[in-house]
Amino acid sequence: MIKERDEFSLLNEAPFTASDRMLVRHLREDWSESNYWILIAAAFCNLSVREGHTYFDLRTPQLGSASVPKSWPVWERWIDLLKASPLVQNEGETLDRPLVLSGDSCLYLEKYYRYEQRLAEQIRSRCGKALAESQEQDPVDRAVAQGFFVITGGPGTGKTTLALRYLDKLLDSWEGTRPARFAAIAPTGKAAARLAESIANGVSRMELAPERKEALLSIPCLTIHRLLGSLPHRSSFRRDRKHPLHYDTLVIDESSMIDLPLMTRLFEALPESCQVLLLGDKDQLASVEVGSVLSDILAAAEAEGASLAASVERLSKTYRFSEDSGIYQLCTVSKEGDLEGFTAFMQAPSADVRYHALAAGAKRVPQRLLELGVERHRLLSEAPDAQAALARLGDSMTLTPTRNGPFGTIEINRRVRARIQAQLELAGLPDKPIHGEPIIVLENDYELELFNGDIGLIWQEEDRLIACFENSEKGVRRFRVSELPRYESAFALTIHKSQGSEFESVHCLFGPDAAQTLTRELIYTAFSRAKSELVVFGEMDTMAAGISRQAVRATRLAELLGD
């Protein structure tokens, strides 16, 4: 049919990809689905997952990257189509079908429906019954009394301090015949290293007996993938429901970064007796992959009469910044979407914040940003040794919301490298690694235990260049450059890649190419990476549009947790 060909033609254009077309072909050929609207809806479900949503709403279809055809059926017509389809099962049914209709008009790919259901079940089973009056207690006492607890707050609000008090109190109350088994985990290697550093700093400030300090410092700080035992070239883990972990308590940091499938697998790999403490900042970006688990949990806790309310502690007072800190003020107006306050601040920034307005119609990265990248390389390359150079990686970073385009990380890194190569007379060797060059790993290598997002640097030892990464004990892990998984320069990072990290000085670039995709979560996450200095390069109209736009993901986890 011509109409069918016309409707299907949209799948040949961006943002649809080969994976969407392969899914449609599979459902058509292997499941005998002949109705093109059902097949197109399945493609939209697949696209929704790539955008971070767990489902696609057939009644009110809205996606940031694509619009449905003008001839999209009315809801009454969808009801008939769904009933007749061999692909669709209704919520609560246990049929083995690839699509699930849930919550009236929410169409899921079956596995994401199951992930959401299973995680909700896991969390609910750990919460138990929390007394309303327990909300008046010390949050550590409340956390110790429950199998599941969440501490949320921005940078420097004391999340790690409360977590250490929580672990200390659990050790006090431990009555087992064997030593208690605790672990602290984070989504990335950098976040795990930062967690270990935060724990060490926190323990040093606590008035505890030496043996208790030693017990807290001995708690392993791992990535989630390492904890679960990643299997090379597979999406499964050694630890799962049938082969659970053996821990009594698990502290999970940077939980806003953890996607729905990974969080589900993590919870299912824990024994029922294991207590779980989540730490995270709900105002940061949600996970790169599907879901918004931390935000959903907190939304469920805010509902009237919610049983989860007693399982959440929200921290607002920051100990990193003084109340008159410009970085703190800018972070606050950004996350609250206060456009008037944001605009007023940027017109008269404070001593720790500087703003450089991009010229109207700017098409290139500001020269000053490139100079900062070259200067950063000089400071790294002149460090006395690799360990000292790795310690300097946290001194400064350039952040931008985009990877591609004239203001993206690829372009910034390319141009900074070109300047350094010209200075070192390496212009004829564009791909040659450079001594002192910061790098970021782009894919997981489970054998080397290098993971997507790990940041290291190239270092020359004697007559050879090697790649160096910091381990959790502040030591140096050395690799041949040739054995590294895929990597690239890290003079600049995307804001997504910077999550779980912090830097003394942060330089943010918001070019006009980000005008349609910038959100307040992106801006807040970028600003909150800075500890001492924040320098902003950008167009005010672009940033104002971002502050006014909030990222919302379509999920039903909060609803499931509130039932």
Side-chain angles (χ1 to χ4, degrees):
M1 293 174 59
I2 295 176
K3 182 179 180 182
E4 178 175 324
R5 289 200 300 271
D6 287 346
E7 303 296 358
F8 269 119
S9 66
L10 69 89
L11 302 183
N12 295 320
E13 303 172 1
F16 292 99
T17 66
S19 70
D20 304 311
R21 294 185 286 274
M22 288 175 63
L23 173 63
V24 167
R25 188 179 303 115
H26 164 64
L27 297 178
R28 201 172 199 176
E29 296 176 357
D30 298 340
W31 285 84
S32 303
E33 177 58 76
S34 58
N35 187 279
Y36 58 86
W37 280 121
I38 295 291
L39 295 171
I40 290 174
F44 270 98
C45 282
N46 211 40
L47 175 59
S48 295
V49 167
R50 287 204 301 280
E51 291 194 1
H53 311 295
T54 60
Y55 67 83
F56 180 68
D57 195 331
L58 294 170
R59 188 194 290 267
T60 55
Q62 292 180 341
L63 285 178
S65 62
S67 299
V68 298
K70 293 181 179 180
S71 52
W72 192 256
V74 296
W75 177 239
E76 290 71 19
R77 172 63 176 147
W78 273 115
I79 293 174
D80 294 335
L81 293 173
L82 295 166
K83 285 182 179 179
S85 174
L87 301 181
V88 183
Q89 59 181 307
N90 291 315
E91 185 170 21
E93 294 180 339
T94 56
L95 303 174
D96 183 18
R97 294 185 178 182
L99 300 177
V100 179
L101 181 65
S102 175
D104 185 27
S105 60
C106 304
L107 191 65
Y108 284 81
L109 296 179
E110 190 266 349
K111 69 176 179 179
Y112 295 102
Y113 171 79
R114 301 297 176 200
Y115 280 135
E116 216 170 55
Q117 296 283 327
R118 284 153 48 193
L119 181 58
E121 181 183 345
Q122 283 285 332
I123 292 174
R124 286 161 61 92
S125 69
R126 291 175 187 279
C127 286
K129 296 180 179 179
L131 298 177
E133 58 265 27
S134 68
Q135 295 186 60
E136 304 300 323
Q137 296 177 355
D138 182 290
V140 172
D141 292 331
R142 285 159 48 207
V144 167
Q146 299 183 56
F148 175 83
F149 201 81
V150 182
I151 299 175
T152 182
T157 50
K159 297 187 293 292
T160 306
T161 299
L162 285 183
L164 282 171
R165 285 181 51 209
Y166 165 80
L167 294 170
D168 179 46
K169 185 155 285 192
L170 284 175
L171 287 172
D172 277 342
S173 60
W174 179 252
E175 297 178 349
T177 57
R178 56 166 175 77
R181 301 189 186 106
F182 295 169
I185 62 172
T188 67
K190 185 64 177 176
R194 265 198 61 216
L195 177 58
E197 182 179 359
S198 297
I199 288 176
N201 291 338
V203 169
S204 69
R205 295 191 298 267
M206 297 174 74
E207 295 183 2
L208 298 172
E211 58 271 18
R212 178 56 56 85
K213 287 191 174 186
E214 183 179 351
L216 292 172
L217 290 172
S218 67
I219 294 173
C221 293
L222 311 169
T223 63
I224 298 176
H225 287 79
R226 187 174 180 184
L227 178 84
L228 292 178
S230 299
L231 295 168
H233 314 300
R234 294 173 62 182
S235 60
S236 56
F237 298 96
R238 291 186 177 88
R239 298 295 188 177
D240 54 24
R241 190 182 314 184
K242 295 181 180 179
H243 308 91
L245 294 158
H246 302 293
Y247 284 103
D248 303 299
T249 299
L250 192 66
V251 174
I252 307 171
D253 197 18
E254 297 290 353
S255 54
S256 66
M257 298 171 61
I258 306 174
D259 60 65
L260 173 67
L262 184 57
M263 190 72 90
T264 303
R265 291 174 177 178
L266 174 60
F267 268 75
E268 289 184 335
L270 296 176
E272 291 184 6
S273 59
C274 181
Q275 292 184 251
V276 177
L277 177 65
L278 292 186
L279 309 177
D281 183 353
K282 71 178 181 63
D283 297 307
Q284 281 190 42
L285 289 166
S287 58
V288 175
E289 304 297 335
V290 65
S292 52
V293 174
L294 179 63
S295 293
D296 291 342
I297 293 170
L298 296 175
E302 290 172 356
E304 184 177 353
S307 59
L308 267 176
S311 301
V312 172
E313 178 68 17
R314 293 175 173 83
L315 306 177
S316 56
K317 179 178 175 56
T318 180
Y319 300 93
R320 177 187 295 179
F321 307 110
S322 63
E323 292 186 0
D324 59 353
S325 161
I327 296 175
Y328 174 69
Q329 294 173 34
L330 194 53
C331 285
T332 300
V333 295
S334 298
K335 71 181 179 182
E336 293 177 353
D338 180 358
L339 180 56
E340 183 178 346
F342 177 84
T343 304
F345 184 94
M346 297 305 285
Q347 290 173 345
S350 60
D352 56 346
V353 178
R354 298 200 304 277
Y355 172 49
H356 300 277
L358 293 184
K363 297 180 179 179
R364 293 174 68 85
V365 176
Q367 294 297 312
R368 180 56 185 150
L369 261 183
L370 301 178
E371 293 167 1
L372 288 168
V374 174
E375 174 64 12
R376 181 173 180 237
H377 170 260
R378 184 187 67 78
L379 294 173
L380 290 172
S381 63
E382 292 179 356
D385 53 41
Q387 188 167 355
L390 287 169
R392 294 181 183 180
L393 285 174
D395 289 351
S396 67
M397 180 56 72
T398 294
L399 302 179
T400 182
T402 55
R403 173 170 167 76
N404 299 302
F407 299 93
T409 56
I410 293 177
E411 177 67 5
I412 298 172
N413 287 322
R414 182 191 69 79
R415 295 184 63 188
V416 171
R417 280 190 103 251
R419 289 190 172 209
I420 296 168
Q421 287 172 322
Q423 290 181 359
L424 300 176
E425 298 182 351
L426 297 172
L429 301 167
D431 298 325
K432 181 179 175 61
I434 304 171
H435 168 69
E437 176 183 3
I439 59 174
I440 181 169
V441 175
L442 300 178
E443 61 188 16
N444 297 331
D445 188 314
Y446 300 109
E447 294 180 2
L448 295 180
E449 293 192 349
L450 289 174
F451 300 101
N452 187 359
D454 286 354
I455 298 176
L457 55 80
I458 303 296
W459 195 256
Q460 183 156 350
E461 288 193 348
E462 298 177 350
D463 60 346
R464 64 178 185 143
L465 288 171
I466 61 172
C468 298
F469 293 82
E470 193 174 74
N471 62 25
S472 58
E473 288 78 35
K474 294 290 185 180
V476 179
R477 302 174 65 207
R478 292 170 169 81
F479 303 90
R480 294 191 303 274
V481 176
S482 60
E483 70 178 333
L484 290 178
R486 190 165 58 93
Y487 72 93
E488 66 183 16
S489 297
F491 296 104
L493 297 178
T494 62
I495 299 170
H496 275 97
K497 290 289 188 184
S498 75
Q499 285 195 99
S501 302
E502 61 183 15
F503 306 93
E504 289 295 331
S505 178
V506 167
H507 312 104
C508 299
L509 174 60
F510 300 107
D513 59 337
Q516 301 303 314
T517 57
L518 196 61
T519 65
R520 72 181 64 161
E521 290 82 3
L522 270 166
I523 294 173
Y524 168 72
T525 300
F527 291 169
S528 61
R529 301 308 90 202
K531 295 173 66 177
S532 304
E533 180 187 51
L534 176 63
V535 185
V536 181
F537 297 79
E539 283 190 336
M540 182 53 69
D541 288 347
T542 296
M543 293 187 292
I547 290 294
S548 303
R549 184 184 298 120
Q550 189 168 16
V552 178
R553 289 191 169 177
T555 76
R556 292 188 63 229
L557 181 60
E559 181 182 343
L560 295 172
L561 289 171
D563 286 345

